Amino acid sequence: MTLDNMVQDYRSGAALSLPDGHFINNRFVSGSTGQRMESFDPGLGEAFATFALGQQADIDAAIEAAKRGYEIWRKVSPAERCAMLLKIAVVLRANADRLALIETLDSGKTLGEAQGDVAGSARLFEYYAGAADKLDGRSVNLGPDYTAFTRREPIGVTAHIIPWNYPTSTFARGVAPALAAGCSVVAKPAETTPFTALIMAELMADAGLPEGVVNVVTGLGREAGAALVADPRVRHITFTGSVATGVAVTQAAAPNVTRLTLELGGKSPLVAFADADAEKVAEDATWAIFSNAGQICSAGSRLIVQRALRDEVMDRLLSKAKAIKFGHGLSGADMGAINSDLHLGRIAAHVDAAKARGCDVATGGQVAKDPETGKGWFYEPTVIADLPAEDPTVQDEIFGPVLAVQVFDSEDEALALANGTEFGLMASVYTRDIGRALRLSGELNSGQVTVNEYWAGGIELPFGGNGKSGYGREKGIEGLDAYTTTKSVTVSNY
């Protein structure tokens, strides 16, 4: 069935083919209690499916399956793991239309954005397939009396707490390197986006992945998620989400001394100097904050612009923001919905508080509905101008389509503003002065810095943050480090 036919079927009210139950030991199983929860289409604000609410017993079964799967998978040769990951990439591409449709309905994003996520997911498996047979140790010279070397070994059962904003690609971002390293997986997708992880796990089994190597339990964070991260059989946790939940995950993992990779969000700046291209700055700033309705950890949520360029950039930026068409993800709109009614309320509360403080809301600032249907959870593309450094709009991660604009005069002031939050995930510098660009790239407190383009690079580069943006790195060769442990072997040559 073509993607167009699938979209038409959904719009006509036809039932979707969706996974039912948890995916454990390469098969779907019913939840231990039979409890279920509704999943909503944010573009309509209406439920379109239900899914199983996992509990301690479901997590226990998944971890036991993962333990058995690990004993099989860790002994598979690196070359065979490489071939399997390549097969998984092929299967994902063959099912890209279904995955993109389901992600659109689950998350609220546009179909084009979902298609990009699925393509990126397949690419992640291809990338880490190429690394699976290159996890080599090294020889260490201790003199003629010893032969010494190191081995890189898989860490064991890994847990993956998947966020709702990029449920497909974030699943792949953690699972692909874990499999390449020889680990097994238990994943818990967000309760608002449960389905693509289940579908991908089933597709991996169809590709020939052994039983128990990848398992998925759906449910609430306070139940299934909490049980997963507190289990001593889990040896590494990859978590993407809020700072508060990340702290809770860290505390739960501490008694077991479980290793962690935390990606906790950001308040990322675009720093534009007077010699920058005003059109390029305005265009990049628009999509750095309004892509996926601003629900991106690395969104460019602050524009820090030099005073001499401020007016020209603002004129162009506001024109672009006002031209954005929002609507249901399947409608061809430029910007999709907010993922949940609860999160929509949080965004609105942030902006309403800014208005109450007298901040200049230059455009947007209102809850909205799909212009075609009058339904759904939407927030207007919003720009708040000329904010002081201490304003909550600058300091707090709103995680929505809300851009905070600040103005500076000197390079030192720009750097102080850019580094003036508790986060340090991403930053971008716009200037024609290469010396300035290189100076700032070294001084910005950020895990990623790009120059004259936002989101430059790709999966080959490590991704992660400083400060309250978390620790550890995903993507790139560094993304494998979380899933391996180094063993030293020394032989006495007596």
Side-chain angles (χ1 to χ4, degrees):
M1 182 182 290
T2 68
L3 179 58
D4 286 342
N5 288 337
M6 286 189 279
V7 171
Q8 290 171 8
D9 282 353
Y10 175 73
R11 287 181 157 175
S12 67
L16 288 168
S17 173
L18 292 169
D20 186 22
H22 311 301
F23 194 79
I24 300 174
N25 224 28
N26 279 21
R27 61 188 62 87
F28 286 108
V29 298
S30 299
S32 59
T33 65
Q35 291 180 292
R36 300 186 70 80
M37 182 175 176
E38 290 182 321
S39 188
F40 287 82
D41 175 348
L44 294 174
E46 298 173 354
F48 72 96
T50 65
F51 61 94
L53 280 178
Q55 307 291 331
Q56 175 73 59
D58 304 298
I59 291 294
D60 186 68
I63 294 174
E64 278 301 307
K67 281 184 64 181
R68 294 190 297 271
Y70 172 66
E71 291 304 320
I72 298 169
W73 187 242
R74 73 183 181 89
K75 297 174 184 177
V76 171
S77 74
E80 290 176 284
R81 292 203 298 267
C82 169
M84 178 54 65
L85 265 65
L86 288 174
K87 263 185 96 171
I88 290 170
V90 170
V91 172
L92 292 180
R93 291 189 190 280
N95 289 270
D97 287 348
R98 183 187 179 209
L99 284 165
L101 174 65
I102 299 305
E103 176 160 334
T104 299
L105 300 181
D106 244 1
S107 69
K109 65 180 60 180
T110 68
L111 182 59
E113 288 169 332
Q115 289 172 317
D117 295 347
V118 175
S121 298
R123 177 73 185 105
L124 280 158
F125 280 96
E126 291 171 343
Y127 179 82
Y128 286 109
D133 57 357
K134 300 171 184 66
L135 289 169
D136 301 323
R138 64 187 181 94
S139 175
V140 181
N141 187 355
L142 297 180
D145 295 333
Y146 299 96
T147 298
F149 58 92
T150 64
R151 299 165 56 102
R152 290 186 74 179
E153 298 180 345
I155 195 168
V157 176
T158 63
H160 302 256
I161 308 296
I162 311 301
W164 49 257
N165 60 330
Y166 282 88
T168 306
S169 57
T170 308
F171 177 86
R173 190 172 78 189
V175 172
L179 295 184
C183 299
S184 62
V185 167
V186 179
K188 206 293 286 183
E191 52 263 34
T192 58
T193 53
F195 291 115
T196 54
L198 290 168
I199 295 170
M200 292 171 77
E202 182 183 29
L203 292 173
M204 291 179 199
D206 292 344
L209 196 67
E211 289 187 358
V213 178
V214 172
N215 308 273
V216 178
V217 176
T218 56
L220 299 174
R222 65 176 180 267
E223 295 168 354
L228 178 58
V229 300
D231 197 293
R233 294 168 292 180
V234 170
R235 300 317 308 144
H236 185 274
I237 300 165
T238 299
F239 172 83
T240 302
S242 69
V243 173
T245 307
V247 170
V249 168
T250 304
Q251 291 170 336
N256 301 319
V257 198
T258 307
R259 282 173 28 177
L260 290 160
T261 299
L262 299 178
E263 202 267 274
L264 305 180
K267 197 70 182 179
S268 300
L270 289 80
V271 182
F273 286 86
D275 64 342
D277 182 327
E279 175 61 21
K280 176 66 172 171
V281 171
E283 180 69 15
D284 283 12
T286 299
W287 295 112
I289 186 60
F290 300 131
S291 293
N292 203 31
Q295 300 166 117
I296 308 175
C297 298
S298 58
S301 52
R302 291 186 293 150
L303 173 60
I304 302 172
V305 59
Q306 197 158 22
R307 194 173 304 279
L309 195 66
R310 185 264 184 210
D311 290 349
E312 184 178 1
V313 167
M314 281 295 290
D315 286 347
R316 293 172 183 266
L317 173 65
L318 293 178
S319 177
K320 294 176 187 296
K322 292 173 183 177
I324 291 173
K325 297 178 181 179
F326 56 83
H328 194 282
L330 299 179
S331 70
D334 302 317
M335 189 179 87
I338 304 304
N339 180 251
S340 69
D341 192 28
L342 176 64
H343 189 54
L344 178 63
R346 293 179 184 136
I347 295 169
H350 274 289
V351 178
D352 289 346
K355 292 177 185 175
R357 292 191 300 271
C359 298
D360 178 12
V361 180
T363 189
Q366 299 292 333
V367 172
K369 298 291 184 183
D370 185 327
E372 293 183 9
T373 65
K375 297 180 179 181
W377 302 319
F378 296 89
Y379 202 83
E380 295 177 344
T382 300
V383 178
I384 305 179
D386 305 328
L387 288 160
E390 69 278 3
D391 191 86
T393 309
V394 170
Q395 295 296 324
D396 298 340
E397 186 182 35
I398 298 173
F399 215 66
V402 180
L403 178 64
V405 179
Q406 299 172 272
V407 179
F408 71 90
D409 292 302
S410 69
E411 183 177 316
D412 287 346
E413 185 183 3
L415 182 62
L417 290 172
N419 287 342
T421 75
E422 296 180 311
F423 299 99
L425 185 56
M426 189 165 180
S428 189
V429 180
Y430 289 78
T431 180
R432 291 184 171 90
D433 185 333
I434 187 62
R436 174 190 287 151
L438 291 174
R439 277 196 308 276
L440 287 174
S441 71
E443 294 297 326
L444 285 164
N445 178 30
S446 179
Q448 293 78 225
V449 178
T450 61
V451 177
N452 292 330
E453 183 178 336
Y454 204 74
W455 286 321
I459 66 169
E460 298 84 359
L461 289 168
F463 176 79
N466 304 331
K468 287 195 174 179
S469 288
Y471 51 77
R473 293 295 181 263
E474 298 182 87
K475 302 196 303 184
I477 294 300
E478 291 81 354
L480 288 159
D481 293 342
Y483 305 105
T484 62
T485 184
T486 299
K487 177 184 287 181
S488 298
V489 179
T490 306
V491 179
S492 176
N493 301 329
Y494 67 86

